[in-house]
Amino acid sequence: MDSIRSKKTTLIDILSTDASFILQHVQRENLITGREYKNLYSMSQDGEKTTIELLDKMMNKGDDHCKRFISMLRESEIVGTFPALKELLNPQENVPHQEIAQAATDNPDNNSDSAYKMVNNPRGLCIIINNVNFQKLSTRNGSSEDADALEQVFTWLNFKVECHKDLTKDKMKSVVQEGSQRADGDCFVCCVMSHGETNGVLGCDSEVVTVEEMITPLKGNNCPRLAGKPKLFFIQACRGRLFQNEARIQADSSREDNQGLEMDAYPGEIISIPADADFLVSMATVNEYFSFRNSKTGSWFIQSLCKRLREGILRGDDILTILTYVNDDVSREEGLIRGKRAKQVPDQSFRLRKRLFFPVPDSPDL
């Protein structure tokens, strides 16, 4: 509550310049109900009055809402609209970086044998494969926003990041194979964004690369240098042609239809996750269903992943806690496409033997 109260006057001056913009983001984060949004939006022509009412509502809802509101204000899209927020809100509410890092270090799970060691710099190799243009399928508009966000967050985490665009099936396999031979450090990350089907993702030649084919080069017998170390795969692609049903759990959210929604779809078969240890495969959606991507702002899954990595690492969260937040974020998204309501929830499969914490980077601000 004090995090808003102590900055209230300055926040009013900054946010009142575009109150309707900030209201849209507050509603998207479910910080206010649909009714509250409508009431506040009706007075949004008076930016100062709207901002005062909004800040008062956040403080009345308690510390958790206040913290989530302040965290939302640090997002790059909002800071880009209100540049003065960058100086006003540094990470962790003005707690010095040394204290943030110490708090994460003081977490007993981070330092015990139950957690993977994270001591090397660079942390490891991160390969980003971004297939946008296809020979036979639609262009994946908005995917470049996902690639940029991933590159930014994993560079921040001290990974050596390599970005590849529009790869065929064979080239995708060779990039991962070559990467496995050079990979070193504490951890390996591979992010793939493409059209997909139930048993894998597509190269720009529309040929399928199975998840098994991507993972095999990193198995302990094929990549001894990474044996016993975590290998993480984040995959944004459809896994079928079905729409997920919705189950309403409350009736106080009234969002407008999202515009520019697209699907990363192509028909196919069944995915197989290897049983080998120290793997995590995080998929944008469950088997046989669509995943969704906004043609202007990127996919629900990747954008949430990058946001939650930034926030969770500063709090000292482990990767599975972070991915649980991602599941919740994506499940709350909705829109209309082809006249049907679009819903989605990611699928997390892991064979990790220990907890995985990423240390707070030298600069806690991206």
Side-chain angles (χ1 to χ4, degrees), residues 63-191:
D63 287 338
D64 181 63
H65 268 70
C66 291
K67 291 176 182 177
R68 290 171 58 198
F69 179 73
I70 293 295
S71 177
M72 181 199 75
L73 294 182
R74 294 194 184 103
E75 293 178 7
S76 58
E77 183 179 358
I78 294 179
V79 173
T81 303
F82 305 103
L85 288 175
K86 188 174 181 68
E87 294 183 11
L88 181 66
L89 306 173
N90 58 29
Q92 294 289 300
E93 284 305 304
N94 298 319
V95 176
H97 168 252
Q98 292 81 359
E99 294 184 28
I100 300 172
Q102 188 62 45
T105 303
D106 288 343
N107 184 337
D109 289 322
N110 292 12
N111 300 308
S112 70
D113 290 337
S114 65
Y116 289 103
K117 293 185 182 299
M118 290 283 144
V119 295
N120 282 291
N121 190 8
R123 193 74 57 211
L125 177 63
C126 172
I127 293 175
I128 298 174
I129 299 173
N130 181 27
N131 288 343
V132 178
N133 303 294
F134 292 77
Q135 296 174 9
K136 301 177 182 178
L137 300 172
S138 61
T139 300
R140 299 182 59 256
N141 297 311
S143 190
S144 294
E145 281 68 26
D146 286 344
D148 291 344
L150 287 166
E151 181 179 8
Q152 186 179 47
V153 77
F154 282 106
T155 299
W156 176 65
L157 290 174
N158 294 324
F159 279 83
K160 180 183 178 182
V161 179
E162 297 180 356
C163 299
H164 303 270
K165 186 176 179 181
D166 295 343
L167 303 185
T168 63
K169 168 189 174 177
D170 289 341
K171 188 60 178 175
M172 289 173 69
K173 291 170 63 177
S174 68
V175 162
V176 176
Q177 174 68 41
E178 292 166 7
S180 71
Q181 296 172 2
R182 295 181 288 107
D184 208 345
D186 301 313
C187 181
F188 174 85
V189 176
C190 181
C191 307

Side-chain angles (χ1 to χ4, degrees), residues 47-312:
E48 182 174 335
K49 182 179 179 181
T50 304
T51 305
I52 292 171
E53 287 287 329
L54 174 62
L55 296 179
D56 287 343
K57 284 187 181 297
M58 292 298 100
M59 290 189 287
N60 289 336
K61 289 175 181 285
D63 287 338
D64 181 63
H65 268 70
C66 291
K67 291 176 182 177
R68 290 171 58 198
F69 179 73
I70 293 295
S71 177
M72 181 199 75
L73 294 182
R74 294 194 184 103
E75 293 178 7
S76 58
E77 183 179 358
I78 294 179
V79 173
T81 303
F82 305 103
L85 288 175
K86 188 174 181 68
E87 294 183 11
L88 181 66
L89 306 173
N90 58 29
Q92 294 289 300
E93 284 305 304
N94 298 319
V95 176
H97 168 252
Q98 292 81 359
E99 294 184 28
I100 300 172
Q102 188 62 45
T105 303
D106 288 343
N107 184 337
D109 289 322
N110 292 12
N111 300 308
S112 70
D113 290 337
S114 65
Y116 289 103
K117 293 185 182 299
M118 290 283 144
V119 295
N120 282 291
N121 190 8
R123 193 74 57 211
L125 177 63
C126 172
I127 293 175
I128 298 174
I129 299 173
N130 181 27
N131 288 343
V132 178
N133 303 294
F134 292 77
Q135 296 174 9
K136 301 177 182 178
L137 300 172
S138 61
T139 300
R140 299 182 59 256
N141 297 311
S143 190
S144 294
E145 281 68 26
D146 286 344
D148 291 344
L150 287 166
E151 181 179 8
Q152 186 179 47
V153 77
F154 282 106
T155 299
W156 176 65
L157 290 174
N158 294 324
F159 279 83
K160 180 183 178 182
V161 179
E162 297 180 356
C163 299
H164 303 270
K165 186 176 179 181
D166 295 343
L167 303 185
T168 63
K169 168 189 174 177
D170 289 341
K171 188 60 178 175
M172 289 173 69
K173 291 170 63 177
S174 68
V175 162
V176 176
Q177 174 68 41
E178 292 166 7
S180 71
Q181 296 172 2
R182 295 181 288 107
D184 208 345
D186 301 313
C187 181
F188 174 85
V189 176
C190 181
C191 307
V192 181
M193 294 155 289
S194 187
H195 287 302
E197 57 180 51
T198 52
N199 70 326
V201 296
L202 303 185
C204 63
D205 54 357
S206 300
E207 295 294 322
V208 180
V209 183
T210 67
V211 175
E212 176 72 17
E213 287 176 312
M214 287 189 288
I215 287 176
T216 295
L218 279 302
K219 291 182 178 181
N221 58 326
N222 294 326
C223 185
R225 285 186 296 183
L226 290 179
K229 299 177 182 180
K231 279 80 69 174
L232 313 181
F233 287 77
F234 300 100
I235 300 175
Q236 166 60 38
C238 283
R239 299 174 66 189
R241 299 175 63 82
L242 299 179
F243 286 87
Q244 293 186 27
N245 295 323
E246 64 176 333
R248 293 196 173 276
I249 58 175
Q250 59 183 26
D252 59 4
S253 176
S254 60
R255 303 183 183 185
E256 297 179 359
D257 294 337
N258 290 338
Q259 300 298 317
L261 274 188
E262 298 181 356
M263 300 173 292
D264 289 324
Y266 194 77
E269 306 164 18
I270 280 189
I271 184 171
S272 171
I273 300 297
D276 300 60
D278 306 303
F279 279 95
L280 179 148
V281 178
S282 180
M283 308 285 288
T285 188
V286 295
N287 195 35
E288 298 186 355
Y289 287 88
F290 287 122
S291 66
F292 298 98
R293 167 180 35 81
N294 188 288
S295 59
K296 294 182 180 179
T297 60
S299 66
W300 294 347
F301 171 63
I302 295 295
Q303 292 300 314
S304 172
L305 173 65
C306 294
K307 172 188 172 184
R308 290 301 184 177
L309 281 170
R310 293 192 300 266
E311 296 174 353

Side-chain angles (χ1 to χ4, degrees), residues 33-46:
T33 66
R35 178 176 295 180
E36 288 171 332
Y37 171 78
K38 289 178 181 178
N39 291 338
L40 289 167
Y41 190 80
S42 67
M43 63 174 75
S44 60
Q45 288 185 342
D46 187 338

